[in-house]
Amino acid sequence: MLVEAISLPTLERARQHLTECYLCEHRCGVNRANGEQGPCKAGVTANVFRHRVECGEESELIPSHLFYLSGCDLRCKFCIAEENAFNPRLGTELTANFFREALDWGRTRHAINVQWVGGEPTIHLPAILNVMAAVDELPSIVWKSDFYGTPESLDLLTGVVDIYVADFKFGNNDCAERLASVPRYVEVITRNLLHASMQADLIVRHLLLPGHFDCCFRPIIDWMARRLPLAKFSLRDGYRPRWLATRDSELSRSLTAAEIGRAERLARDAGINLIH
């Protein structure tokens, strides 16, 4: 993708969120440039706590150069990044020079794309767009997100992102409130999935959680079959109890083979586009 896709008006619209932030559906409106903090606690700069080339993604994405940004708008009890996901001050500042050098390193390891992950990249959209605009030519851009952003943030990515990888974590609002501390989850995520499906290629990813088959997984499959039957759906069965999940009666164990098999059968029977 050529850098010209990131226009000056896009960069300016992104910067406006630093003085009145509506990048995620918390819609806090804080002035980050003056040091105010919303639920994600992000400021003006973004930090990368890890970047590396990985081959554990969906087959069409690998090898992928993942940039992990610290800070998140969700508070998932089972987050595998643990404290790195929630403290936006951790890591190395994302600058144009840092990004150029990292891109060169990734190319030597045959990465076919750049994947922005977190934490949550959406809360750092102004910084991400700035560094990408400073590079003469970019590889394919993958946006791996919890998808709790706003339509305004998705619009900033029009023509910039080649592939969205969207987490569809919960099938109801109660589980989202209890496990991730966010309201109106289902309404927000489904709205954004439909929006993104008209912008770029879309992979919807779900991490299967123990004890959440009927309350979360089944409603997600039902919605996908009705509204996005052709979208690629990636069922992730590698859940391990991490972070605060070890204290949760349902989430403190790993998945069983029977649970994984049952989920795969339901997805296939629903006729959705299951990928690996």
Side-chain angles (χ1 to χ4, degrees), residues 45-56:
T45 60
N47 291 301
V48 176
F49 68 85
R50 179 171 66 234
H51 77 92
R52 63 190 183 191
V53 175
E54 299 186 13
C55 292

Side-chain angles (χ1 to χ4, degrees), residues 48-54 64-69 92 98-99 101-106 109 115-117:
V48 176
F49 68 85
R50 179 171 66 234
H51 77 92
R52 63 190 183 191
V53 175
E54 299 186 13
S64 186
H65 190 176
L66 279 74
F67 286 77
Y68 291 84
L69 289 97
T92 302
F98 171 86
F99 186 53
E101 292 176 3
L103 277 180
D104 290 341
W105 176 87
R109 285 152 179 81
Q115 187 169 167
W116 295 105
V117 299

